Amino acid sequence: MFTGIIECTTKVHRLIYEKNNLRITFNNPFSKNNEIQVNQSICHNGICLSIININKKTYSVIASEETLLCTNLNFLKIQDEVNLERGIKLHERLDGHIVQGHVDTIAIIIKIENRNGSWLFFFKSKKKLNDKIVKKGSIAINGVSLTIITCKNQYIFNVSILPYTYETTNFHQLKIGDIVNLEFDILGKYIKRSIQQYLEK
């Protein structure tokens, strides 16, 4: 489980397709104190992926065909910057919101406004949003815990990005037309499912 509070970013070192899967090798920002290990899960741009190999400079993960179909991993390029978060420790504060690392869908950036101290990012989702997000609710975008400002219609919403988040995540490199990963609030998904089951009785 994750919180959407990004620890650091890294860059894509190598991409190799192995049949229907994708092996991704990243530069290793955790090498100094041996802070990661094989089989450990790390959230990469909001996607929970397990480490299969580590050395001093890099580590590798495998993305399955299913993961490639529902995330933005097929758009990755060498040297792309990726947000990283390791799993939460149970004794730590939950500073963001509950993030599983299970991407629900992707969205495209359709507008970016510089608000002289912050940035407004507008997204158009691949899926309808009317029963998945709410104004002032939480959403994870590329693994970053954010608050929804407005939901303009069934597909479009926006968030505000403050300078610290802009500088310490890969938001500073995103541009109009880029594809991002979305994970909707798990609490909202459980509530929706409970209501559906009640109505089906």
Side-chain angles (χ1 to χ4, degrees), residues 24-148:
I24 312 168
T25 300
F26 296 99
N27 296 335
N28 186 357
F30 304 111
S31 61
K32 186 175 181 180
N33 298 311
N34 297 317
E35 297 173 297
I36 56 175
Q37 59 189 19
V38 172
N39 287 331
Q40 183 176 353
S41 293
I42 296 179
C43 201
H44 300 76
N45 272 359
I47 309 161
C48 181
L49 297 169
S50 297
I51 297 169
I52 61 168
N53 179 267
I54 305 173
N55 60 46
K56 288 184 179 180
K57 293 185 177 180
T58 64
Y59 70 90
S60 299
V61 300
I62 292 283
S64 68
E65 180 182 16
E66 172 63 23
T67 301
L68 296 176
L69 289 172
C70 64
T71 69
N72 65 3
L73 287 180
N74 274 317
F75 301 98
L76 273 185
K77 302 182 296 297
I78 304 299
Q79 291 299 306
D80 273 358
E81 192 171 0
V82 173
N83 298 324
L84 298 181
E85 182 190 357
R86 290 172 294 170
I88 187 174
K89 296 178 181 178
L90 293 180
H91 65 276
E92 293 181 342
R93 293 185 180 91
L94 184 64
D95 290 324
H97 73 281
I98 297 172
V99 176
Q100 293 183 296
H102 301 159
V103 172
D104 291 297
T105 190
I106 56 176
I108 185 171
I109 299 173
I110 59 172
K111 186 179 181 182
I112 301 172
E113 292 183 2
N114 188 331
R115 289 298 182 93
N116 193 27
S118 65
W119 292 261
L120 287 183
F121 278 73
F122 293 77
F123 302 90
K124 185 174 183 180
S125 173
K126 186 178 179 180
K127 293 183 178 180
K128 288 185 178 180
L129 300 170
N130 52 319
D131 59 350
K132 298 177 178 65
I133 64 174
V134 294
K135 184 178 180 180
K136 306 303 180 184
S138 296
I139 191 168
I141 302 176
N142 272 1
V144 184
S145 176
L146 294 164
T147 301
I148 295 160

